[in-house]
PDB file of all heavy atoms in Angstrom:
ATOM      1  N   ASP K 372     -57.334  -0.733  38.136  1.00  0.00           N
ATOM      2  CA  ASP K 372     -56.718  -0.482  39.436  1.00  0.00           C
ATOM      3  C   ASP K 372     -56.165  -1.787  40.014  1.00  0.00           C
ATOM      4  O   ASP K 372     -56.734  -2.354  40.954  1.00  0.00           O
ATOM      5  CB  ASP K 372     -57.749   0.123  40.391  1.00  0.00           C
ATOM      6  CG  ASP K 372     -57.116   0.666  41.665  1.00  0.00           C
ATOM      7  OD1 ASP K 372     -55.876   0.614  41.773  1.00  0.00           O
ATOM      8  OD2 ASP K 372     -57.854   1.126  42.546  1.00  0.00           O
ATOM      9  N   PRO K 373     -55.055  -2.294  39.468  1.00  0.00           N
ATOM     10  CA  PRO K 373     -54.520  -3.572  39.972  1.00  0.00           C
ATOM     11  C   PRO K 373     -54.006  -3.480  41.399  1.00  0.00           C
ATOM     12  O   PRO K 373     -54.036  -4.474  42.134  1.00  0.00           O
ATOM     13  CB  PRO K 373     -53.386  -3.890  38.984  1.00  0.00           C
ATOM     14  CG  PRO K 373     -53.024  -2.583  38.373  1.00  0.00           C
ATOM     15  CD  PRO K 373     -54.274  -1.771  38.348  1.00  0.00           C
ATOM     16  N   GLU K 374     -53.544  -2.309  41.825  1.00  0.00           N
ATOM     17  CA  GLU K 374     -53.060  -2.175  43.204  1.00  0.00           C
ATOM     18  C   GLU K 374     -54.186  -2.418  44.212  1.00  0.00           C
ATOM     19  O   GLU K 374     -53.957  -2.998  45.277  1.00  0.00           O
ATOM     20  CB  GLU K 374     -52.474  -0.774  43.423  1.00  0.00           C
ATOM     21  CG  GLU K 374     -51.126  -0.554  42.758  1.00  0.00           C
ATOM     22  CD  GLU K 374     -51.242  -0.103  41.312  1.00  0.00           C
ATOM     23  OE1 GLU K 374     -52.391   0.004  40.828  1.00  0.00           O
ATOM     24  OE2 GLU K 374     -50.200   0.136  40.675  1.00  0.00           O
ATOM     25  N   GLU K 375     -55.394  -1.986  43.857  1.00  0.00           N
ATOM     26  CA  GLU K 375     -56.540  -2.236  44.742  1.00  0.00           C
ATOM     27  C   GLU K 375     -56.823  -3.730  44.843  1.00  0.00           C
ATOM     28  O   GLU K 375     -57.173  -4.240  45.917  1.00  0.00           O
ATOM     29  CB  GLU K 375     -57.770  -1.499  44.204  1.00  0.00           C
ATOM     30  CG  GLU K 375     -59.022  -1.679  45.051  1.00  0.00           C
ATOM     31  CD  GLU K 375     -58.940  -0.970  46.385  1.00  0.00           C
ATOM     32  OE1 GLU K 375     -58.133  -0.027  46.505  1.00  0.00           O
ATOM     33  OE2 GLU K 375     -59.668  -1.372  47.312  1.00  0.00           O
ATOM     34  N   GLN K 376     -56.664  -4.449  43.743  1.00  0.00           N
ATOM     35  CA  GLN K 376     -56.841  -5.902  43.776  1.00  0.00           C
ATOM     36  C   GLN K 376     -55.807  -6.551  44.691  1.00  0.00           C
ATOM     37  O   GLN K 376     -56.132  -7.438  45.483  1.00  0.00           O
ATOM     38  CB  GLN K 376     -56.729  -6.479  42.361  1.00  0.00           C
ATOM     39  CG  GLN K 376     -57.885  -6.135  41.443  1.00  0.00           C
ATOM     40  CD  GLN K 376     -57.858  -6.955  40.163  1.00  0.00           C
ATOM     41  OE1 GLN K 376     -56.900  -7.665  39.881  1.00  0.00           O
ATOM     42  NE2 GLN K 376     -58.909  -6.858  39.387  1.00  0.00           N
ATOM     43  N   LEU K 377     -54.560  -6.141  44.570  1.00  0.00           N
ATOM     44  CA  LEU K 377     -53.507  -6.700  45.414  1.00  0.00           C
ATOM     45  C   LEU K 377     -53.817  -6.476  46.894  1.00  0.00           C
ATOM     46  O   LEU K 377     -53.673  -7.394  47.721  1.00  0.00           O
ATOM     47  CB  LEU K 377     -52.159  -6.067  45.052  1.00  0.00           C
ATOM     48  CG  LEU K 377     -51.524  -6.488  43.721  1.00  0.00           C
ATOM     49  CD1 LEU K 377     -50.369  -5.552  43.373  1.00  0.00           C
ATOM     50  CD2 LEU K 377     -51.030  -7.925  43.798  1.00  0.00           C
ATOM     51  N   ALA K 378     -54.255  -5.273  47.237  1.00  0.00           N
ATOM     52  CA  ALA K 378     -54.545  -4.959  48.634  1.00  0.00           C
ATOM     53  C   ALA K 378     -55.715  -5.789  49.157  1.00  0.00           C
ATOM     54  O   ALA K 378     -55.688  -6.274  50.302  1.00  0.00           O
ATOM     55  CB  ALA K 378     -54.850  -3.465  48.781  1.00  0.00           C
ATOM     56  N   ALA K 379     -56.762  -5.971  48.336  1.00  0.00           N
ATOM     57  CA  ALA K 379     -57.938  -6.734  48.775  1.00  0.00           C
ATOM     58  C   ALA K 379     -57.577  -8.193  49.032  1.00  0.00           C
ATOM     59  O   ALA K 379     -58.024  -8.790  50.020  1.00  0.00           O
ATOM     60  CB  ALA K 379     -59.047  -6.635  47.723  1.00  0.00           C
ATOM     61  N   VAL K 380     -56.767  -8.783  48.159  1.00  0.00           N
ATOM     62  CA  VAL K 380     -56.387 -10.195  48.329  1.00  0.00           C
ATOM     63  C   VAL K 380     -55.488 -10.360  49.550  1.00  0.00           C
ATOM     64  O   VAL K 380     -55.645 -11.309  50.326  1.00  0.00           O
ATOM     65  CB  VAL K 380     -55.691 -10.713  47.057  1.00  0.00           C
ATOM     66  CG1 VAL K 380     -55.158 -12.122  47.277  1.00  0.00           C
ATOM     67  CG2 VAL K 380     -56.658 -10.691  45.885  1.00  0.00           C
ATOM     68  N   ARG K 381     -54.553  -9.459  49.736  1.00  0.00           N
ATOM     69  CA  ARG K 381     -53.650  -9.568  50.877  1.00  0.00           C
ATOM     70  C   ARG K 381     -54.384  -9.413  52.204  1.00  0.00           C
ATOM     71  O   ARG K 381     -53.982  -9.985  53.222  1.00  0.00           O
ATOM     72  CB  ARG K 381     -52.527  -8.541  50.750  1.00  0.00           C
ATOM     73  CG  ARG K 381     -51.466  -8.966  49.736  1.00  0.00           C
ATOM     74  CD  ARG K 381     -50.498  -7.884  49.400  1.00  0.00           C
ATOM     75  NE  ARG K 381     -49.453  -8.385  48.501  1.00  0.00           N
ATOM     76  CZ  ARG K 381     -48.692  -7.635  47.738  1.00  0.00           C
ATOM     77  NH1 ARG K 381     -48.842  -6.305  47.758  1.00  0.00           N
ATOM     78  NH2 ARG K 381     -47.762  -8.167  46.963  1.00  0.00           N
ATOM     79  N   GLU K 382     -55.471  -8.664  52.191  1.00  0.00           N
ATOM     80  CA  GLU K 382     -56.276  -8.540  53.411  1.00  0.00           C
ATOM     81  C   GLU K 382     -56.884  -9.887  53.787  1.00  0.00           C
ATOM     82  O   GLU K 382     -56.893 -10.279  54.963  1.00  0.00           O
ATOM     83  CB  GLU K 382     -57.374  -7.498  53.204  1.00  0.00           C
ATOM     84  CG  GLU K 382     -58.246  -7.274  54.431  1.00  0.00           C
ATOM     85  CD  GLU K 382     -59.325  -6.236  54.202  1.00  0.00           C
ATOM     86  OE1 GLU K 382     -59.296  -5.567  53.135  1.00  0.00           O
ATOM     87  OE2 GLU K 382     -60.189  -6.080  55.073  1.00  0.00           O
ATOM     88  N   VAL K 383     -57.397 -10.626  52.790  1.00  0.00           N
ATOM     89  CA  VAL K 383     -57.965 -11.947  53.070  1.00  0.00           C
ATOM     90  C   VAL K 383     -56.860 -12.923  53.462  1.00  0.00           C
ATOM     91  O   VAL K 383     -57.056 -13.770  54.345  1.00  0.00           O
ATOM     92  CB  VAL K 383     -58.745 -12.460  51.840  1.00  0.00           C
ATOM     93  CG1 VAL K 383     -59.339 -13.836  52.126  1.00  0.00           C
ATOM     94  CG2 VAL K 383     -59.847 -11.490  51.459  1.00  0.00           C
ATOM     95  N   ILE K 384     -55.687 -12.837  52.824  1.00  0.00           N
ATOM     96  CA  ILE K 384     -54.576 -13.712  53.183  1.00  0.00           C
ATOM     97  C   ILE K 384     -54.178 -13.490  54.640  1.00  0.00           C
ATOM     98  O   ILE K 384     -53.861 -14.441  55.372  1.00  0.00           O
ATOM     99  CB  ILE K 384     -53.379 -13.468  52.235  1.00  0.00           C
ATOM    100  CG1 ILE K 384     -53.715 -14.006  50.826  1.00  0.00           C
ATOM    101  CG2 ILE K 384     -52.120 -14.135  52.759  1.00  0.00           C
ATOM    102  CD1 ILE K 384     -52.624 -13.738  49.803  1.00  0.00           C
ATOM    103  N   ARG K 385     -54.217 -12.248  55.096  1.00  0.00           N
ATOM    104  CA  ARG K 385     -53.950 -11.980  56.515  1.00  0.00           C
ATOM    105  C   ARG K 385     -55.021 -12.603  57.395  1.00  0.00           C
ATOM    106  O   ARG K 385     -54.722 -13.143  58.468  1.00  0.00           O
ATOM    107  CB  ARG K 385     -53.893 -10.470  56.760  1.00  0.00           C
ATOM    108  CG  ARG K 385     -52.605  -9.811  56.303  1.00  0.00           C
ATOM    109  CD  ARG K 385     -52.472  -8.408  56.917  1.00  0.00           C
ATOM    110  NE  ARG K 385     -53.573  -7.546  56.514  1.00  0.00           N
ATOM    111  CZ  ARG K 385     -53.566  -6.788  55.426  1.00  0.00           C
ATOM    112  NH1 ARG K 385     -52.498  -6.784  54.631  1.00  0.00           N
ATOM    113  NH2 ARG K 385     -54.588  -6.013  55.127  1.00  0.00           N
ATOM    114  N   ASP K 386     -56.279 -12.564  56.934  1.00  0.00           N
ATOM    115  CA  ASP K 386     -57.373 -13.122  57.745  1.00  0.00           C
ATOM    116  C   ASP K 386     -57.216 -14.619  57.954  1.00  0.00           C
ATOM    117  O   ASP K 386     -57.625 -15.148  58.998  1.00  0.00           O
ATOM    118  CB  ASP K 386     -58.727 -12.826  57.091  1.00  0.00           C
ATOM    119  CG  ASP K 386     -59.094 -11.345  57.156  1.00  0.00           C
ATOM    120  OD1 ASP K 386     -58.495 -10.640  57.993  1.00  0.00           O
ATOM    121  OD2 ASP K 386     -59.946 -10.912  56.369  1.00  0.00           O
ATOM    122  N   VAL K 387     -56.664 -15.325  56.979  1.00  0.00           N
ATOM    123  CA  VAL K 387     -56.518 -16.783  57.102  1.00  0.00           C
ATOM    124  C   VAL K 387     -55.150 -17.165  57.648  1.00  0.00           C
ATOM    125  O   VAL K 387     -54.813 -18.344  57.723  1.00  0.00           O
ATOM    126  CB  VAL K 387     -56.763 -17.486  55.746  1.00  0.00           C
ATOM    127  CG1 VAL K 387     -58.170 -17.230  55.262  1.00  0.00           C
ATOM    128  CG2 VAL K 387     -55.746 -17.051  54.700  1.00  0.00           C
ATOM    129  N   GLY K 388     -54.333 -16.195  58.068  1.00  0.00           N
ATOM    130  CA  GLY K 388     -53.067 -16.472  58.714  1.00  0.00           C
ATOM    131  C   GLY K 388     -51.989 -17.017  57.815  1.00  0.00           C
ATOM    132  O   GLY K 388     -51.243 -17.912  58.217  1.00  0.00           O
ATOM    133  N   ALA K 389     -51.888 -16.497  56.593  1.00  0.00           N
ATOM    134  CA  ALA K 389     -50.889 -16.996  55.646  1.00  0.00           C
ATOM    135  C   ALA K 389     -49.865 -15.924  55.296  1.00  0.00           C
ATOM    136  O   ALA K 389     -49.291 -15.937  54.206  1.00  0.00           O
ATOM    137  CB  ALA K 389     -51.578 -17.495  54.373  1.00  0.00           C
ATOM    138  N   THR K 390     -49.614 -15.007  56.231  1.00  0.00           N
ATOM    139  CA  THR K 390     -48.715 -13.891  55.930  1.00  0.00           C
ATOM    140  C   THR K 390     -47.256 -14.314  55.839  1.00  0.00           C
ATOM    141  O   THR K 390     -46.442 -13.625  55.218  1.00  0.00           O
ATOM    142  CB  THR K 390     -48.857 -12.801  57.010  1.00  0.00           C
ATOM    143  OG1 THR K 390     -48.643 -13.400  58.303  1.00  0.00           O
ATOM    144  CG2 THR K 390     -50.237 -12.185  56.959  1.00  0.00           C
ATOM    145  N   LYS K 391     -46.882 -15.451  56.436  1.00  0.00           N
ATOM    146  CA  LYS K 391     -45.482 -15.878  56.441  1.00  0.00           C
ATOM    147  C   LYS K 391     -45.115 -16.738  55.237  1.00  0.00           C
ATOM    148  O   LYS K 391     -43.952 -17.111  55.079  1.00  0.00           O
ATOM    149  CB  LYS K 391     -45.181 -16.646  57.732  1.00  0.00           C
ATOM    150  CG  LYS K 391     -45.309 -15.795  58.990  1.00  0.00           C
ATOM    151  CD  LYS K 391     -44.938 -16.586  60.230  1.00  0.00           C
ATOM    152  CE  LYS K 391     -45.051 -15.726  61.486  1.00  0.00           C
ATOM    153  NZ  LYS K 391     -44.701 -16.476  62.713  1.00  0.00           N
ATOM    154  N   VAL K 392     -46.087 -17.063  54.392  1.00  0.00           N
ATOM    155  CA  VAL K 392     -45.807 -17.892  53.215  1.00  0.00           C
ATOM    156  C   VAL K 392     -45.191 -17.015  52.124  1.00  0.00           C
ATOM    157  O   VAL K 392     -45.718 -15.934  51.829  1.00  0.00           O
ATOM    158  CB  VAL K 392     -47.103 -18.552  52.693  1.00  0.00           C
ATOM    159  CG1 VAL K 392     -46.796 -19.446  51.497  1.00  0.00           C
ATOM    160  CG2 VAL K 392     -47.780 -19.351  53.801  1.00  0.00           C
TER     161      VAL K 392
END
Side-chain angles (χ1 to χ4, degrees):
D372 191 3
E374 287 86 358
E375 180 70 22
Q376 290 192 351
L377 288 167
V380 174
R381 283 169 176 160
E382 181 180 351
V383 180
I384 290 177
R385 283 195 299 271
D386 290 341
V387 298
T390 54
K391 296 183 179 180
V392 182

